[in-house]
């Protein structure tokens, strides 16, 4: 008979067994600390019985970690995961909520720097300046459920580009397409440049003057405010320009696009996780979900 964890790992093919073991070892301690903290708050004081007394967890930690990973990868219902692991649906729901938060707080891994993880935009700029690399920044939109009629701020999620209710994620990658950072997500109606400014990118440009960020045409305002650092595609020559000037513009624009395409590859890696193709759950849980997926993707790409 096939072990339940082995069967679950065959279903979930996003990470290797070695990565799963490292992930379990990394998250076991903070998860146990969170459990004990909630127990302490519920008791209102220290425990009165020896450690080990009381009810046991129905899921061992590896299974408790595997259930959220399968949910992130394939968006299986909690009830189906409960049948797979032989527990009640509420147990799976609780496990997903706990582990998703831990995964979101990990940040993104850094190539050739074991143990170092980037959690804030300032961390990414400091790493880029220390390593002398140019960053690639872009935004992507994820379709979400439409807010109920009559609720305030309903129009904020209507994307002008997709004409759908979306949330916008801003992602930074390096020249190899490895994810280095993602933001807290913004309503889809917000402009790409505004979302980046709200994350404090202007302050980062000021404190890290040697860092260059390759952008697309949606960030022309940043390019105007931070010349030499926020680099957008060259502007198209005016009508009637010399043929040589037009040809040079086409070469420069193609070169810029080729250098910036790696962030598009990073976004494509994120969208391979089914939950990020279209979000059908509560909108306030999407930011943690996206950061959790970005961290898992960064773990794999650092060894590529």
């Amino acid at each position: 008979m096939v072990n339940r964890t082995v069967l679950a790992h065959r279903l979930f093919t996003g990470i290797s067994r070695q990565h799963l073991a490292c992930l379990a070892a990394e998250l076991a301690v903070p998860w146990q600390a969170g459990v004990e903290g909630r127990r302490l708050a519920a008791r209102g004081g220290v425990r009165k019985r020896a450690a080990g007394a009381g009810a046991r967890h129905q899921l061992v930690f590896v299974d408790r970690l595997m259930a959220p990973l399968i949910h992130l990868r394939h968006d299986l219902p909690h009830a189906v995961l409960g049948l797979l692991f032989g527990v009640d649906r509420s147990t799976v729901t609780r496990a997903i909520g706990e582990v998703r938060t831990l995964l979101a707080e990990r940040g993104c891994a850094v190539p050739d720097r074991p143990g170092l993880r980037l959690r804030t935009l300032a961390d990414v700029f400091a790493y880029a300046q220390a390593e002398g690399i140019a960053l690639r920044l872009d935004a992507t939109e994820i379709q979400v459920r439409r807010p109920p009629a009559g609720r305030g701020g309903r129009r904020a999620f209507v994307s002008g580009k997709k004409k759908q209710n979306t949330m916008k994620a801003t992602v930074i990658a390096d020249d190899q397409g490895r994810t280095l950072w993602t933001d807290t997500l913004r309503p889809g109606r917000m402009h790409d440049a505004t979302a980046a400014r709200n994350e404090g990118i202007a302050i980062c440009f000021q404190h890290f003057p040697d860092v260059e960020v390759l952008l697309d045409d949606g960030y022309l305002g940043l390019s105007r405010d931070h010349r030499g650092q926020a680099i957008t595609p060259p502007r198209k020559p005016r009508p009637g320009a010399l043929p040589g000037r037009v040809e040079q513009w086409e070469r420069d624009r193609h070169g810029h696009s080729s250098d910036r395409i790696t962030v598009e590859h990073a976004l494509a890696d994120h969208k391979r996780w089914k939950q990020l193709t279209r979000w059908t759950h509560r909108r306030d849980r999407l930011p943690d979900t996206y950061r959790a997926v970005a961290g898992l993707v960064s773990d794999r790409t650092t060894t590529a």
Side-chain angles (χ1 to χ4, degrees):
M1 183 175 180
V2 180
N3 181 273
R4 210 167 45 223
T5 303
V6 175
L7 179 63
H9 189 272
R10 289 178 182 175
L11 177 63
F12 176 77
T13 58
I15 63 176
S16 64
R17 290 190 180 184
Q18 292 80 5
H19 185 190
L20 178 64
C22 294
L23 201 59
E26 178 185 348
L27 298 181
V29 173
W31 173 78
Q32 187 63 42
V35 171
E36 293 299 330
R38 289 189 293 272
R39 288 175 177 173
L40 181 65
R43 288 192 304 261
V46 298
R47 63 185 309 145
K48 299 180 180 180
R49 291 193 295 176
R56 301 291 191 275
H57 290 291
Q58 293 180 308
L59 281 177
V60 297
F61 185 72
V62 175
D63 289 347
R64 188 175 293 269
L65 174 61
M66 184 64 71
L69 292 177
I70 297 174
H71 185 58
L72 289 172
R73 186 72 175 185
H74 301 286
D75 202 16
L76 292 182
H78 295 187
V80 174
L81 292 173
L83 291 175
L84 177 64
F85 288 96
V87 296
D88 188 73
R89 179 203 57 80
S90 60
T91 302
V92 173
T93 301
R94 189 180 307 111
I96 290 175
E98 294 171 353
V99 174
R100 177 175 52 211
T101 301
L102 294 177
L103 291 173
E105 293 172 349
R106 294 173 67 233
C108 295
V110 177
D112 303 322
R113 296 290 187 276
L116 178 63
R117 305 194 72 88
L118 306 177
R119 294 179 174 84
T120 65
L121 188 59
D123 291 343
V124 179
F125 271 72
Y127 166 74
Q129 180 158 297
E131 297 294 329
I133 64 174
L135 303 175
R136 280 79 172 160
L137 183 146
D138 201 1
T140 184
E141 296 184 34
I142 302 170
Q143 185 179 355
V144 297
R145 296 167 63 182
R146 184 171 61 179
R151 177 170 296 181
R154 193 181 187 203
R155 292 187 59 195
F157 294 93
V158 180
S159 169
K161 180 171 64 175
K162 290 184 174 294
K163 310 303 181 184
Q164 297 173 336
N165 288 267
T166 64
M167 292 188 70
K168 187 188 300 289
T170 303
V171 175
I172 291 181
D174 63 5
D175 58 341
Q176 300 297 319
R178 295 174 289 215
T179 302
L180 299 179
W181 174 82
T182 185
D183 67 346
T184 56
L185 274 74
R186 305 286 178 175
R189 197 176 188 87
M190 183 177 293
H191 195 276
D192 293 357
T194 303
R197 287 191 178 99
N198 288 346
E199 292 296 329
I201 195 170
I203 298 177
C204 291
F205 277 131
Q206 179 181 354
H207 286 85
F208 302 97
D210 297 332
V211 177
E212 295 181 352
V213 182
L214 303 185
L215 308 164
D216 62 12
D217 285 329
Y219 297 91
L220 292 177
L222 286 178
S223 176
R224 181 188 63 248
D225 297 338
H226 307 281
R227 296 188 181 277
Q229 289 185 274
I231 302 175
T232 54
R235 307 311 301 154
K236 186 176 181 179
R238 294 182 178 180
L242 296 175
R245 175 70 181 89
V246 176
E247 292 176 1
Q248 182 63 42
W249 167 75
E250 291 177 347
R251 286 194 296 269
D252 292 344
R253 189 174 182 86
H254 183 270
H256 182 276
S257 178
S258 298
D259 290 338
R260 200 193 60 83
I261 196 64
T262 56
V263 69
E264 302 286 355
H265 296 162
L267 297 176
D269 284 341
H270 302 166
K271 295 296 183 70
R272 291 192 179 99
W273 296 64
K274 189 174 181 181
Q275 283 208 335
L276 298 186
T277 57
R278 184 177 184 272
W279 184 251
T280 58
H281 311 282
R282 292 178 52 176
R283 292 188 307 278
D284 57 353
R285 294 174 181 169
L286 179 56
D288 278 353
T289 300
Y290 201 104
R291 290 198 297 268
V293 170
L296 292 169
V297 170
S298 73
D299 291 340
R300 187 178 71 250
T301 54
T302 52
T303 59

